[in-house]
Each structure stands twice: as C-alpha cells, then as structure tokens.
Amino acid sequence: MRLPRRLLSAVPSLIGIVILTFVLTRLLPGDPAAYFAGPAATPESIEEVRVQLGLDKSIFAQFVDYISALSRLDLGRSLSSGQTVVDDLTARLPATLELTVSALLLAAILGIALGFGAALRPGRWPDRLCDAVTVFGQAMPTFFLGLLLVYVFYYKLEWAPAPMGRLEIFYSSPTEVTGFWTIDTLLEGDIGAFQGVIRQLILPVITLALFGLGPIASMTRTSLLQVLGGDSVRTARAFGLSSRKVLWTYAFLPAAVPILNTIGMVLSFLLGANVLVEKVFGWPGVGAYAIEALLVSDFAPVQGFVLLMAVTYVVVNLCIDLLAAAIDPRARTDG
Amino acid sequence: MTPDWTKNLVEARNLNIRFGSTPVVDDISLDLPKGRITALVGESGSGKSLVAHSIAGILTPAARLEADRLSFAGVDLRDTKSPGWRDLRGRQIAIIFQNPRAALSPVRRVGQQIGDVIARHRGLKGAELSRAVVEALGAVGIVDPEARQNAYTGELSGGMCQRVMIALALACNPRLLIADEPTTGLDNTTQAAILDLVVDQIRARDMSCLLITHDLALAREYADDICVMHAGQIVEKADSARIFTASQHPYTHALLKASASQADSIASLEPIKGSLPDLNGPLPACRFANRCPRAEERCHSAKPPVSGPDTARVNCWNPLP
Ligand SMILES: Nc1ncnc2c1ncn2[C@@H]1O[C@H](COP(=O)(O)OP(=O)(O)OP(=O)(O)O)[C@@H](O)[C@H]1O
Ligand SMILES: [Mg+2]
C-alpha cells in the first residue's frame, strides 16, 4: 500500500528534472550547431547541421524529440570522446560510486560513533572533537582540502601514491564484475592490486568523508541527546533493562530518522563535491567527465551528468524515506 | 544484598535532594508498609516526583541525593549501580507516569516493550514470552490483546497508553507500584476507570502503592494513608479518613478548604495564601511559616517537631487541636 504511493510521489520530481535539464541545455551559451559543424564551417553547413540535430524545429517539437530520445535512453553523443553519453557514463559511474559510497560509509560510521560518544559524555573529549570536526568541515572547501592532502601526503611526505586515478599503471586493472575495484581485485585474488586500489582511494575518500563527517556527527549527537533525556529512556531504565538494550533499542532507534535524513543530505552534497574532488585526484568518474566536457562546451555529457545525478538524488531520497518508515512508525505519515 | 520481605517495603530517613545549592527535598522521612496504598499529596513543585524518582532510581544526574537511609525491603537504594538494586527495578518496583505516551517508546510495538521487561526479569522466550505479553495486556482490561500488542503508541488513545503502561508495570508482579499522577491529562471517565483498575490490581495482587496526586479528594477515595508535602517537606501523614475529619497541620487544613469537593459552596472556597517559597532564597525552618496563619517565631528558626502516633503524624510547632 505504502510503497507504491511513495514511488508515485517521486514521479513529479523526475518530471521536473527532465524539464529542467532540457531548459538548461537551451540556456547554455553558444550555438551547438556551430560547434558540431566545426571551425571551418560555412553558414550553409551550420544550417545543415542544425536541421540534422533538429534544432530548427519549434521548442515544443524539440522537447518531444528530447523526450522520445530519453525514453530510448539516448542522451546523445559526446563530441570529445565520440562515444554515446550513455556508454561514457556507464563506463565511469562505478568509479564515482566506489568513491562516493566509500566516503559515505566512512563518514557515517565515524560520524555516528563520534556523535554517540559526544552524547554519552557531553562536555568531554568526544564532544569537543565532534564540535571541532563540524566547524572544520564547514570551513574547509572540499577541493582545497583535497589539494592540501595531496600536497602534504604525496608531495611532501610521499606517503600517498600519485593522485592519478584508481590504480597505479604498473598494476593491471581487474576485470569488471561489480565495477568496484576493491571488490573486483579481491574476486581475482590479486591482493597487490587490492592494496593498490585502497592506497589510491584513501586520500579522495578522506577528503569527501571529512566533509560529511561533521553534519552526521552533530545530528547523531543532537538527536541522541534528545531521546536520552526523554521519558521513554527513563522508563526503560526504571524497568531495569540492560544498558545495551536501553542504548540501542530505546535511544538509538527513535533517534535514527534524523540521522538517516542527514546521511541522505550528505550524499547529495557528495554527489556535487565529487566533480571537483575527482578532478583533483584524476579520478576517472562521471564528475571529472562532466567538468571536462563543460570546459570544451560539449553539452550532451553535461546534460547527461545532471540528469544522472538528479535521478540518483531522487532515488537515494526515496530509499532513505522507505528505510525511515521501516524503522520509525512516526515517519509513515503518508501511509 | 537480598531483599528481606519482613521489613517495610520502603524506608526513607532524612532524605534530601538538592540541585546545586538549592535544597529541593528537605529531610523527608517516609515508610511505605506492605499492602497499603499511600498517597503523596501536594501542590505542583512540592517535590513529589523527585521523591518517586529517588525510589525508582531515575533521579536526573543533576540531582544530589543524601539520606540516612533509603531502602527497599532492606536493600539500599542509594547505590543505584549495585546489581542487587538493578534486579529490583521493574521486577519489584515499578513506576507509571503522568504522560504514558511519552513514557513508552514510539518506535517499538507495545507488546515488544512489555516483552523486553518480561524477558529481562522472568527470563521467558519465544511462545512463552508472547503468551505472557498477551496475558499482561489482558490483565489490564485491554480488549483483543492479541491484536493490540502490535500497536505503536501513536495508534492508541491516551487512556489506552496508560493501560499499556500499567500492563508493563504489573507484568512482573512487583511488590510496589509508584503511580506519579497517572491520570492527569485524561478525561474524567477515563481517569476513574484507570484509577479503579490500578487499585483493583494492587488489592488483587497484594501489592503496595505510592499514589502521587495533587488532588486530596482523589487521594481520600483511593488511598489508605495520605502524606502531605509542602515545598519539599512532609507536613502531615495520617489515615486518609482522619485527614479529612481531623487534619492537624495548617497547610493540610488550607488545602482542604481550597479543594472544591470539600467546600459546601463556591463562596466557602478559600485559596491558599501566597505561593510556594522560592527555594533558592533564604528559607524558614518550616517552609510553610510565611504562609501560615498560626506561625510563631520558632517556626522560622527551628525545625518543627514530629508528634502523634503513626496513624496521625504531624510536623508542626503549633498544630490544630
Ligand atoms: N532538573 C532540575 N533542575 C533544577 N530543579 C529541578 C529539577 N527538577 C525538578 N526541580 C525542582 O524541584 C521541584 C520539585 O519538582 P517535582 O517535579 O518533584 O515537583 P512535583 O511535586 O512532582 O510537581 P508536579 O505536580 O508539577 O509534578 C520543582 O520546584 C523544580 O523546580
Ligand atoms: Mg510531578
């Protein structure tokens, strides 16, 4: 009953995204027909290309074309790579996902642990650390943090490998099964390559995770403190339940939904922050792909990237809402 | 230490609770004998809940408790960390609260919450546990407990939440039930139904009860003994019938006159003069002295003596005859 309704409620957002990406590409400066025709083109050949691309039609007809192409999962072609945007994105998405998911996991685990410590010992060191991390995460632009880490750990200390992609060249990259190279190298039993993948991941993951750590830790702290000070935890204690039971079942569970929502929000931030972080670390993901395309006015990849990120955002939030409803009956208001 | 059931259930001697330098509960001594319902009556802010919480072991960490004795069946309650004491809470001492919806967890089915307590103290598992949960819910008059055990508090009325809370409290057959204003916030009909239920269960299970209320009439209807508190001090303790016919403390007297059910008409209602003293300021030895029509010099300077037999004790320099 509830699931289909929640799924339906995501439809307007998706429609909005589709319209937005369409409008966005029409608003970007420059004439795509001129770009496609190349520098040596005559006005006639540009006009020819315009007709080929369907750009001579009315806006409405163009929109219909765009929708029908979308429904065939056709996002156009990248000028720079010559591949279809869908192929390019599919090839690069696993790299982005591995980076983002690792960073999110790290931020969530550390953030929740830190928030727990802060809530259980208010005013003591975990609490201070929690504050410090929050302030740090807010004050430091991600790409700058990335550059700083590269400077210190690669350039100065030489502890980290060169920030150039997912694996140093003297390792052979694994055959893609999951697309997550940490898993794929293990599947092949190539421990050396696995360690290589981890080494490459460490700095960009830390860069992204430090960014998400603050909000997750401080929300965990706030939410948990509120529940811990409340009547239901007092009841659980008054009835002699074990501290573990009180902490996990009677304190953490009711505090989980705001934490979950914060994790969702952090993930959306990370999807944006990826663009620059991938660039800094030479990471072959969709973010770096989009920014390279943008720099050469290659709009189809940009459009595809925006669409992909927006859909990911909607899907992630949908999952978060469903998970929240599964944990907390108070989150089932639309049911 | 193992409980000694020949003793009074609760014995408190010179119990003090302070927040920082504010002495909120002042030198209270109170016995809760077996098999009796004792009402603790007083205005809002007089410290009733703090006394209840100190017995239930849920004082906030900010509160400082000092007492010459605070025991339950001989077990020292001051050391809330001792394993002997932890085994008592929920098993022998249970508490129900004013706001049952907030007191229960919103994210756990009510049956699971009762199950948690039963599993903890009676060690039941699986089918036996589910049977005990349904039984506990049935015992407090919940219709169709099989279905209701799957509800969340958000799906239940206030009265139903309080029944669940009572089921939780009685699930392990404790010896003492502390009821902290269990019906404030419920409508009159539900209020009576809940109190009838509590008292019936107390009598049927031969339990004791500390019933906290600010309503003297309600205390007389349901309690055997009434203990009157004012600004953190106990001023009088007597049989509930006796309080009404022969109250000795001027504060009790004033409370009776201010209580609608006692007055013959609206015109004879007399509000109590003044308000509770500011506990942060300098306090007279008897904290009622500044409001008391019978106050004397020594009421301000020296703790009033305790006089009278157990059935009619009063803490006053100048009690009513
Ligand atoms: N955490 C706290 N910090 C400081 N003072 C407190 C705290 N909790 C309670 N008090 C003080 O203790 C006094 C007694 O509180 P208590 O809750 O026991 O009153 P009560 O008699 O139960 O009142 P009510 O009928 O409103 O429930 C109050 O005056 C309050 O100011
Ligand atoms: Mg109270």
Side-chain angles (χ1 to χ4, degrees), chain B residues 143-217:
Chain B
V143 198
D144 196 6
E146 296 271 0
R148 284 303 169 86
Q149 65 175 334
N150 291 320
Y152 293 98
T153 51
E155 302 161 358
L156 301 174
S157 69
M160 193 56 82
C161 282
Q162 194 58 290
R163 276 181 198 271
V164 170
M165 190 70 224
I166 295 168
L168 182 83
L170 299 180
C172 296
N173 261 317
R175 309 261 178 152
L176 174 67
L177 178 74
I178 301 170
D180 189 354
E181 308 203 36
T183 56
T184 314
L186 298 178
D187 65 75
N188 282 344
T189 329
T190 319
Q191 186 168 345
I194 293 286
L195 282 170
D196 287 341
L197 168 72
V198 168
V199 170
D200 287 349
Q201 292 290 323
I202 300 278
R203 302 284 188 224
R205 296 168 191 240
D206 197 24
M207 297 165 57
S208 306
C209 176
L210 180 64
L211 175 64
I212 293 174
T213 170
H214 50 250
D215 185 346
L216 259 178

Side-chain angles (χ1 to χ4, degrees), chain A:
Chain A
M1 221 11 234
R2 213 150 32 223
L3 183 64
R5 199 177 307 180
R6 186 60 190 80
L7 283 174
L8 276 183
S9 73
V11 168
S13 330
L14 289 172
I15 293 177
I17 291 163
V18 166
I19 295 176
L20 194 75
T21 44
F22 175 77
V23 172
L24 190 72
T25 45
R26 308 300 123 161
L27 287 181
L28 285 172
D31 180 359
Y35 282 111
F36 272 80
T42 59
E44 289 76 37
S45 62
I46 292 180
E47 216 36 53
E48 211 171 293
V49 170
R50 193 186 307 286
V51 174
Q52 262 177 22
L53 291 176
L55 294 177
D56 59 326
K57 299 188 194 166
S58 72
I59 269 289
F60 181 73
Q62 286 185 36
F63 186 67
V64 171
D65 284 351
Y66 167 73
I67 296 288
S68 77
L70 258 190
S71 65
R72 282 175 276 118
L73 269 183
D74 176 2
L75 294 174
R77 221 167 247 285
S78 159
L79 282 181
S80 5
S81 74
Q83 306 285 318
T84 67
V85 169
V86 171
D87 286 347
D88 278 347
L89 287 177
T90 322
R92 290 158 161 269
L93 188 59
T96 296
L97 282 184
E98 181 164 40
L99 178 58
T100 313
V101 170
S102 311
L104 188 71
L105 273 181
L106 185 68
I109 291 170
L110 286 183
I112 289 175
L114 202 54
F116 244 94
L120 293 182
R121 301 255 178 287
R124 307 275 280 279
W125 71 262
D127 200 3
R128 305 261 167 71
L129 188 59
C130 191
D131 283 347
V133 160
T134 308
V135 171
F136 182 79
Q138 277 166 358
M140 185 76 90
T142 356
F143 77 95
F144 181 69
L145 176 63
L147 287 175
L148 190 72
L149 289 178
V150 168
Y151 177 74
V152 174
F153 291 100
Y154 166 64
Y155 186 72
K156 278 286 174 200
L157 298 174
E158 295 182 14
W159 290 357
M164 303 206 292
R166 302 176 82 180
L167 197 52
E168 282 169 294
I169 37 170
F170 45 86
Y171 293 109
S172 57
S173 30
T175 29
E176 301 231 334
V177 182
T178 60
F180 280 39
W181 284 13
T182 42
I183 299 174
D184 291 342
T185 48
L186 284 181
L187 286 180
E188 286 188 345
D190 190 347
I191 298 299
F194 172 75
Q195 289 169 341
V197 170
I198 294 285
R199 271 200 299 277
Q200 293 296 124
L201 265 172
I202 288 178
L203 286 192
V205 162
I206 289 180
T207 306
L208 283 174
L210 271 180
F211 177 68
L213 190 56
I216 295 174
S218 70
M219 181 52 85
T220 304
R221 176 185 181 278
T222 311
S223 185
L224 207 54
L225 270 181
Q226 195 187 349
V227 180
L228 281 172
D231 289 2
S232 55
V233 165
R234 187 179 66 183
T235 305
R237 288 195 176 126
F239 281 82
L241 299 185
S242 68
S243 343
R244 182 191 293 177
K245 187 96 191 167
V246 172
L247 203 55
W248 288 106
T249 311
Y250 286 85
F252 185 61
L253 225 50
V257 168
I259 301 172
L260 209 53
N261 287 334
T262 308
I263 292 178
M265 195 188 71
V266 164
L267 181 56
S268 325
F269 280 150
L270 292 188
L271 290 177
N274 252 336
V275 176
L276 290 171
V277 172
E278 286 184 4
K279 192 78 190 127
V280 169
F281 288 94
W283 202 258
V286 292
Y289 173 69
I291 203 161
E292 279 153 20
L294 187 65
L295 292 176
V296 298
S297 299
D298 188 1
F299 295 135
V302 177
Q303 178 185 315
F305 171 76
V306 171
L307 203 57
L308 177 65
M309 289 300 111
V311 170
T312 310
Y313 176 81
V314 169
V315 170
V316 163
N317 277 291
L318 182 67
C319 293
I320 296 250
D321 284 358
L322 292 175
L323 197 54
I327 294 177
D328 193 329
R330 290 170 298 178
R332 294 174 203 164
T333 40
D334 60 350

Side-chain angles (χ1 to χ4, degrees), chain B:
Chain B
M1 200 173 156
T2 47
D4 175 356
W5 301 114
T6 59
K7 298 198 164 147
N8 275 332
L9 278 187
V10 173
E11 286 184 8
R13 293 286 173 281
N14 307 96
L15 173 70
N16 288 278
I17 299 171
R18 58 184 85 238
F19 287 97
S21 59
T22 313
V24 179
V25 169
D26 182 43
D27 252 350
I28 276 185
S29 294
L30 174 71
D31 286 349
L32 296 182
K34 278 181 300 239
R36 287 180 82 81
I37 298 178
T38 306
L40 190 57
V41 184
E43 285 165 274
S44 186
S46 54
K48 308 180 296 290
S49 294
L50 288 175
V51 172
H53 292 176
S54 65
I55 299 171
I58 47 173
L59 275 181
T60 68
R64 286 275 152 272
L65 179 143
E66 275 163 33
D68 292 341
R69 175 145 89 244
L70 180 61
S71 65
F72 178 85
V75 178
D76 195 340
L77 297 184
R78 288 172 301 182
D79 179 12
T80 48
K81 300 248 162 23
S82 84
W85 164 214
R86 272 222 305 273
D87 288 342
L88 288 180
R89 46 189 2 195
R91 174 70 189 86
Q92 303 295 2
I93 304 175
I95 182 165
I96 62 178
F97 300 97
Q98 176 176 339
N99 185 347
R101 194 186 300 285
L104 293 165
S105 171
V107 304
R108 210 156 160 69
R109 298 176 194 280
V110 295
Q112 289 178 312
Q113 298 186 50
I114 295 174
D116 287 341
V117 172
I118 295 178
R120 161 73 174 89
H121 294 295
R122 289 163 60 187
L124 299 185
K125 285 198 188 77
E128 264 186 308
L129 181 60
S130 351
R131 210 171 318 118
V133 168
V134 171
E135 221 169 77
L137 285 168
V140 296
I142 289 177
V143 198
D144 196 6
E146 296 271 0
R148 284 303 169 86
Q149 65 175 334
N150 291 320
Y152 293 98
T153 51
E155 302 161 358
L156 301 174
S157 69
M160 193 56 82
C161 282
Q162 194 58 290
R163 276 181 198 271
V164 170
M165 190 70 224
I166 295 168
L168 182 83
L170 299 180
C172 296
N173 261 317
R175 309 261 178 152
L176 174 67
L177 178 74
I178 301 170
D180 189 354
E181 308 203 36
T183 56
T184 314
L186 298 178
D187 65 75
N188 282 344
T189 329
T190 319
Q191 186 168 345
I194 293 286
L195 282 170
D196 287 341
L197 168 72
V198 168
V199 170
D200 287 349
Q201 292 290 323
I202 300 278
R203 302 284 188 224
R205 296 168 191 240
D206 197 24
M207 297 165 57
S208 306
C209 176
L210 180 64
L211 175 64
I212 293 174
T213 170
H214 50 250
D215 185 346
L216 259 178
L218 194 140
R220 172 162 77 164
E221 192 178 341
Y222 291 100
D224 304 311
D225 304 311
I226 294 181
C227 191
V228 181
M229 264 186 100
H230 173 269
Q233 296 177 323
I234 286 184
V235 296
E236 185 165 5
K237 183 184 176 185
D239 290 354
S240 64
R242 190 120 172 201
I243 287 252
F244 281 79
T245 51
S247 64
Q248 302 178 73
H249 198 283
Y251 177 63
T252 315
H253 197 71
L255 262 188
L256 284 170
K257 279 208 198 144
S259 125
S261 49
Q262 274 311 106
D264 309 327
S265 66
I266 298 287
S268 66
L269 264 181
E270 276 179 40
I272 306 176
K273 259 196 342 188
S275 53
L276 287 180
D278 176 8
L279 299 179
N280 293 308
L283 289 163
C286 168
R287 292 181 177 181
F288 189 57
N290 289 329
R291 305 168 82 181
C292 181
R294 298 170 64 86
E296 301 168 3
E297 188 55 44
R298 56 186 174 174
C299 297
H300 292 268
S301 54
K303 275 269 158 68
V306 184
S307 59
D310 249 12
T311 49
R313 267 193 305 118
V314 63
N315 300 27
C316 188
W317 282 114
N318 196 10
L320 294 149

